[in-house]
């Protein structure tokens, strides 16, 4: 979609207009959009875009695609509120506004030479997917590659095919758990933190990337430290109300950080104390 | 024009002012009538089509057994039920009866009270049925009414903030009447929506949009007392158009 | 640097010239029992002969010497209203086919601010770092900020809730202005010392016929300014404060403040540096047009911290804590200075008179004793 | 075979309340006509007791969202009389100006959105707009200007917040008033007279006892003595010498008679009958151009009288706005003392009378409110009976519509005057 460009230069609030090339459902409430990337678009794992639905509003959504493939811009979204539910109704060919990428990425390079451990809760796997794909594409640069993934129910598991493909790989350890199992579930049951003590990684040489609900990240951080991981090697991705992604609307503050600018990926030892305080 | 959402505008115990707000949208009225099928709006058309309705705007509080039944029927017939105005959202000024002897009220007003049948309480619609959205105000603001209709048509969340009148007061650049003139104002505990009308006319807010999201009526009451208000004034202030809304009810009962 | 002495008529000429050049001249003016900032046409619109009395939760206009031009310090409004307006369309879209396109925004006005205070321009400096200091310039702010002119009035008589001396932003402006005026007058004499702060300011002064100031005039003003610095209504000890507040997050005092705090957001809205804003789409009834509107928001509003499932700061104590620690502590990490310029507005305009200097001191005290 | 037609209008919606209409016709004779009000009672008079006097204008406004200014005016005047306070110029003129805004808004609303569709055979103004878009748009424009006057002076169009006993909380800025396009309104109002006069008009002449205010020099809005065709001529506080209120089973409203049992009529026809000589030149001319007689006895023709009154209100608004000075004090200080005060003012729909007793602390001890529709109830019944008798030959649906239109002649209050009637005609 052509955008009228006879306007003031580079208004950072101005989205590029692009179209939906493909879409599919992941779970009951979660779906993936595949967009034509705006010209020259590049991102790093962990960064996010602001997606705009005409007349409804804008939301922060992580990029979930493969950073090594630039042909498509992939977002996995859970329909929870007004904008995300409208996103779910969009069909192939519809226009959508994109601004980004924003934010600090996962420190995938810092992990080089050691173990890379990924801990995901629920939709938290979406922002971690690019990091995993990056690591797999550069597999020889890491020692062990581990994914610990938990959801509430078996039906909430994202990227089923991909996750089972990963499970089948010899160069990656994948442990999956659900909070509440049903009859069909034959895997482990319990919160994701319970996987940490038995997961195959060397705490002293690991970089851990964590994304999920705040409470899950808090307990995961504690558990990792208990297992001996250096707090400075643990990274979490925060969610806050976000309306501009430019650190000027003020909503995404988390202590001294703007999640959009200083995050969303933050180092655990910068936030562990804040995690212990209510309503920060 | 099939396919347009069907609108019903319905009245219970009230003054008609909130539905009149729709007719007061002089610039938008014909556009609204184009975007929605006005299926049932007695105030505007003698053509009354039966439900179901896609959007029902309900004005007025519930004060009779018959209306308590009728609102259930309305709920069954309406996909989205929006209550409009202090009567529908809080019981209205007529909820002052909730602290009084209704029989005595009836004797006072009517020569033959035995002809009057009414409940002894005036209650908001949400006490009777599930309400999808509440639009506050005595009367509602037509700008906000348009926003609700607009959001419904565009299927988005209406931008109807629940913060204090003070926010609009400051956005409008109105000098605070409480700080600059010592005039007691309910703005800090009242929900925005009117655009801080009263302070902009140098009058303290009297709470016609009902309690804001986190009303601290106790603290404001202390401040009013420092400014010279007595308990009687505090009770009068909290017991008006939204008297039966909980934070105001408690604030008045505390004095 | 050369300084000048001018009279009130010269200020009028200055206003006239700025208006002739197409500036919208904004200055203090009396509106319903308070001094506000609004468009002015001459010094007659300024609060001549008017002063103010300010305390926590209390503001009254009072009489000053009949010809005092800058006798009232800051009122509830600040420059923020003009550069970061309370409500502004930031983008406008129209539907076109399956997509949508952008409509060009209206041109921003050019502002000249006359009679604003040193803390006011310091606050503009703070907001500059917020809106212009990041990776991207905020277009709405930048469009209004670029080329704005500031004629500051130094504070000879600080207000009852002022503490700019503590924050290093006043009572004498040290930068960020085009002209700084100091009013000197005690009935017998009445003149203004005028310091140019930019080339534009110097031109402006020469143009209105300013004469060079004698040394005595400068000395006189130095004395007045020293006296003013000692006459602040409030004091805030900022030394180590940002660190102390970081330690205070679980203090019981937040709950105590919350019993008084109305969460009415007044403090944030009068604050000249607070910048929080919400962004919403406003659609036409037909759905063909959408305007993205930015409006002042506040960390005291529940929706400010809303994410799916509810607000992250449901309790008033957490909201007050967010505000105070942001102003005096986390702002330093974010933007390199505190987010407070010591103007005292939040103290005066809090309907229940909660005092940031008092609360910050008490919190520091508490942390020191833990 | 004897026939019985029962005309049962269950939901006459609101007549300052929800109303119903019941008529029984046996063997070609109208046996019964009952206009009932079943709007649930709200007990205003009862809960006003104990409230401070200053609440009266705000609280009584909530009786009616269509004419809140009328309630504010009657209550302010009554209170000021109770305290012996004189509120003269300029507040007197400004109140008239505010009232003119409400008259314009209310008259246009009634004439175009509620009443004109009857004459032209439409279900609503929105249906009418399909064929008469320009007329409806012009009407909305004029209505909006009326509302703008109320908004500038009162803060908002419904339940204005700026009216207080003694005057106003603050005065509107002159430049805001200047921005209201009153000259355009005058053209539109003149056009409205021509439009209403061109409507097909049923031919009826009825004998009414007209009751309204009469003022020595003005077309009455806020002040005047209460006069009637039958010779009543009393001061505002002598109401009980002239009128009585009754309460009957079928109704939740009280209705009024003259003390000697007569049925009377308030509203534009009554005002016009008693005060045609007080109309402004432009209003008189606009009426005369359409051949309007000095007394109109055809209730259907009230639609033209409303239009003429609208011209008057716009002209009056222009004159007051021209002389407006926004630098005066907004109100006269009020010192409450124990006392009693009564006041009638002319609401768009007719005389609205309030009476209060206040104690030494300024708290209300007694309150009485007589709204126009309560006073018109009996005359409406008589009128419906006459129209029914004259039109028995009409088929059911036409008869129903004609009766609805008859009720709407009175503009009893918006929803009853709208097109709400569910009418059953039972031929027995
Ligand atoms: C960096 C980042 C990355 C993210 N990545 C992803 C991702 O990859 N996939 C994904 O699914 N999600 C992601 N999210 C979360 C996603 O942004 C939110 O789920 C989304 O913003 C919800 O928007 P909504 O309009 O659908 O929901 P709503 O809850 O309707 O809207 C949220 C907004 O509306 C307001 N609001 C809504 N309801 C209320 C209410 N009742 N009271 C007050 N205010 C209300 C709030 O102001 C808020 O701004 C991410 C978030 C962040 C910050
Ligand atoms: S006048 Fe009232 S609403 Fe306005 S800021 Fe003051 S307290 Fe709040
Ligand atoms: S300021 Fe208060 S009383 Fe006045 S209109 Fe607004 S909400 Fe109602
Ligand atoms: S925090 Fe208070 S004193 Fe500091 S700049 Fe803001 S309003 Fe002024």
């Amino acid at each position: 979609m052509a955008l009228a460009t006879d306007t003031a230069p580079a208004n950072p609030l101005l989205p590029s207009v692009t179209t939906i090339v493909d879409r599919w459902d992941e779970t009951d409430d979660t779906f993936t959009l595949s967009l034509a990337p705006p010209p020259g678009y590049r991102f790093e794992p962990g960064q996010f875009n602001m997606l705009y639905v005409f007349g409804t509003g804008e939301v922060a959504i992580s990029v979930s695609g493969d950073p090594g493939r630039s042909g498509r811009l992939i977002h996995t979204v859970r329909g929870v509120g007004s904008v995300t539910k409208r996103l779910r109704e969009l069909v192939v060919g519809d226009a959508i506004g994109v601004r980004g990428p924003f934010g600090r990425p996962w420190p995938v390079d810092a992990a080089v030479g050691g173990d890379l451990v990924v801990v995901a809760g629920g939709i938290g796997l979406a922002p971690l997917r690019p990091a995993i794909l990056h690591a797999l594409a550069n597999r020889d640069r890491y020692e062990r590659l581990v994914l610990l993934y938990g959801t509430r129910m078996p039906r909430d598991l994202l990227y089923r095919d991909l996750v089972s493909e990963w499970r089948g790989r010899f160069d990656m350890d994948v442990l999956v758990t659900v909070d509440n199992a049903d009859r069909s579930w034959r895997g482990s049951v319990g919160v994701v933190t319970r996987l940490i003590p038995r997961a195959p990684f060397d705490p002293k040489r690991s970089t851990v990337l964590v994304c999920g609900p705040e409470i899950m990240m808090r307990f995961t951080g504690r558990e990792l430290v208990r297992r001996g991981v250096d707090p400075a090697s643990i990274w979490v991705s925060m969610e806050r109300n976000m309306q501009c992604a430019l650190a000027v609307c003020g909503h995404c503050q988390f202590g001294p950080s703007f999640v959009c600018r200083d995050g969303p990926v933050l180092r655990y030892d910068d936030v562990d104390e804040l995690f212990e305080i209510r309503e920060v | 024009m099939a396919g347009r959402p069907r609108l019903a505008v319905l009245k219970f115990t009230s003054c008609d002012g909130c539905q009149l707000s729709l007719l007061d949208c002089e610039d938008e009225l014909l556009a609204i009538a184009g975007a929605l099928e006005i299926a049932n709006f007695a105030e505007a058309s003698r053509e009354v089509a039966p439900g179901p309705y896609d959007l029902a705007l309900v004005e007025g509080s519930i004060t009779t057994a018959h209306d308590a039944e009728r609102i259930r029927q309305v709920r069954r017939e309406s996909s989205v039920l929006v209550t409009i105005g202090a009567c529908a959202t809080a019981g209205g000024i007529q909820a002052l009866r909730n602290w009084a002897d209704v029989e005595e009220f009836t004797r006072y007003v009517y020569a033959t009270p035995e002809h009057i049948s009414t409940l002894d309480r005036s209650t908001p619609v949400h006490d009777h049925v599930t309400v999808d959205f509440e639009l506050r105000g005595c009367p509602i603001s037509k700008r906000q009414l348009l926003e609700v209709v607009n959001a419904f048509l565009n299927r988005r969340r209406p931008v109807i903030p629940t913060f204090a009148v003070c926010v609009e007061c400051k956005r409008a650049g109105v000098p605070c009447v409480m700080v600059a003139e010592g005039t007691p104002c309910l703005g800090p505990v009242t929900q925005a929506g009117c655009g801080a009308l009263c302070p902009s006319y140098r009058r303290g807010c009297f709470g016609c949009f009902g309690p804001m999201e986190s009303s601290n009526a106790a603290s404001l009451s202390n401040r009013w007392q420092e400014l010279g208000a007595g308990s009687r004034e505090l009770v009068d202030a909290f017991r008006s158009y939204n008297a039966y809304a909980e934070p105001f009810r408690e604030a008045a009962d505390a004095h | 640097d050369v300084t000048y002495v001018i009279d009130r008529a010269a200020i009028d000429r200055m206003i006239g010239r700025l208006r002739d050049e197409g500036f919208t001249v904004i200055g203090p003016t009396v509106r319903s029992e308070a001094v506000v900032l609004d468009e002015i046409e001459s010094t007659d619109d300024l609060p001549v002969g008017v002063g103010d009395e300010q305390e926590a939760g209390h503001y009254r206009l009072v009489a000053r010497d009949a010809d005092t031009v800058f006798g009232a310090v800051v009122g509830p409004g600040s420059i923020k209203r003009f550069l970061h307006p309370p409500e502004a369309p930031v983008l406008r879209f129209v539907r076109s086919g399956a997509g949508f396109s952008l409509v060009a925004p209206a041109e921003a006005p050019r502002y000249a601010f006359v009679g604003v205070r040193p803390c006011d321009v310091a606050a503009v400096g703070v907001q500059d770092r917020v809106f212009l200091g990041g990776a991207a310039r905020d277009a709405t702010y930048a469009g209004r900020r670029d080329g704005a002119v500031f004629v500051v009035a130094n504070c000879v008589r600080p207000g009852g809730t002022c503490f700019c001396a503590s924050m290093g932003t006043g009572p004498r402006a040290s930068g960020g202005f085009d002209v700084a005026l100091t009013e000197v007058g005690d009935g017998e004499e009445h003149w203004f010392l005028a310091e140019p702060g930019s080339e534009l300011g110097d031109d402006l002064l020469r143009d209105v016929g300013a004469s060079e100031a004698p040394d005595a005039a400068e000395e006189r003003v130095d004395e007045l300014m020293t006296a003013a610095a000692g006459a602040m209504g409030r004091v805030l000890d900022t030394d180590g404060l940002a660190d102390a507040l970081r330690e205070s997050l679980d203090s019981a005092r937040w709950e105590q403040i919350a019993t008084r705090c109305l969460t009415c957001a007044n403090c944030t809205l009068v604050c000249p540096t607070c910048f929080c804003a919400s962004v919403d789409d406003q659609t036409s009834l037909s759905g063909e047009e959408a305007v993205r509107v930015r409006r002042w928001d506040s960390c005291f509003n529940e929706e400010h911290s809303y994410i799916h499932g509810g607000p992250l700061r449901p309790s008033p104590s957490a909201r007050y804590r967010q505000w105070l620690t942001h102003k005096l502590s986390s702002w330093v990490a974010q933007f390199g200075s505190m987010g407070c310029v010591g103007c005292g507005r939040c103290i005066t305009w809090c309907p229940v008179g909660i005092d940031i200097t008092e609360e910050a001191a008490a919190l520091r005290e508490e942390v020191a004793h833990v | 075979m004897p026939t019985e037609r029962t005309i049962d209008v269950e939901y006459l919606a609101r007549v300052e309340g929800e109303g119903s209409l019941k008529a029984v016709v046996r063997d070609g004779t109208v046996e019964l006509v009952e206009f009932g009000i079943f709007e649930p009672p709200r007990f205003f008079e009862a809960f006003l007791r104990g409230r401070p006097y200053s609440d009266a204008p705000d609280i009584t406004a909530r009786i009616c969202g269509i004419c809140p200014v009328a309630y504010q005016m009657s209550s302010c005047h009554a209170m000021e009389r109770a305290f012996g306070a004189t509120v003269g110029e300029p507040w007197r003129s400004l109140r008239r100006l505010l009232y003119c805004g409400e008259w314009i808004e209310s008259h246009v609303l009634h004439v175009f959105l509620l009443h004109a569709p009857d004459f032209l055979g439409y279900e609503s103004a929105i249906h009418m707009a399909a064929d008469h878009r320009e007329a409806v748009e012009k009407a909305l424009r004029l209505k909006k200007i009326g509302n703008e006057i109320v908004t500038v002076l009162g803060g908002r169009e419904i339940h204005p917040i700026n009216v207080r006993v003694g005057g106003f909380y603050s005065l509107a800025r002159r430049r805001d008033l200047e921005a209201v396009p009153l000259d355009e309104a005058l053209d539109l109002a003149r056009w409205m007279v021509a439009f209403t006069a061109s409507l097909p008009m049923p031919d009826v002449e009825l004998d009414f006892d007209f009751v309204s205010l009469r003022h020595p020099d003005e077309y009455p809005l806020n002040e005047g003595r209460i006069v009637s065709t039958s010779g009543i001529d009393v001061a505002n506080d002598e109401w009980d010498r002239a009128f009585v209120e009754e309460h009957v089973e079928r109704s939740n409203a009280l209705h009024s008679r003259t003390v000697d049992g007569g049925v009377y009529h308030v509203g534009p026809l009554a005002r016009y009958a008693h005060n045609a000589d007080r109309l402004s030149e432009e209003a008189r001319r606009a009426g005369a151009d359409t051949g309007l007689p000095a007394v109109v006895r055809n209730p259907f023709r009230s639609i033209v009288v409303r239009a003429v009154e609208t011209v008057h209100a716009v002209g009056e608004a222009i004159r007051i706005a021209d002389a407006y000075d926004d630098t005066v004090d907004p109100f006269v200080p009020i010192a409450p003392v124990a006392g009693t005060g009564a006041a009638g003012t002319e609401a768009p729909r007719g005389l609205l009378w309030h009476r209060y007793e206040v104690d030494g602390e300024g708290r209300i001890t007694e309150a009485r409110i007589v709204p126009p529709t309560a006073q018109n109830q009996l005359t409406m019944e008589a009128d419906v009976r006459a129209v029914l008798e004259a039109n028995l030959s009409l088929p059911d649906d036409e008869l129903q519509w004609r009766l609805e239109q008859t009720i709407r002649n009175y503009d009893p209050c918006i929803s009853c005057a709208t097109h709400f009637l569910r009418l059953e005609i039972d031929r027995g």
Side-chain angles (χ1 to χ4, degrees), chain C residues 28 46 49 92 113 117 125 128 135 139 154 182 196 226 243 262 268 274 279 282 302 339 343:
Chain C
L46 296 172
R92 196 182 295 271
F113 299 94
R117 298 296 179 170
D128 283 352
N154 287 328
T182 310
T226 309
D243 293 334
L262 301 166
T268 51
C274 275
V279 181
Q282 217 165 277
E302 209 166 83
C343 70

Side-chain angles (χ1 to χ4, degrees), chain D residues 367-390:
Chain D
R368 262 178 75 195
I369 295 166
V370 183
T373 302
Q375 301 174 68
N376 274 344
Q377 231 176 305
L378 295 174
T379 207
M380 280 157 73
E381 285 182 357
D383 197 356
V384 167
R385 181 182 286 269
V387 172
L388 193 54
E389 276 165 357

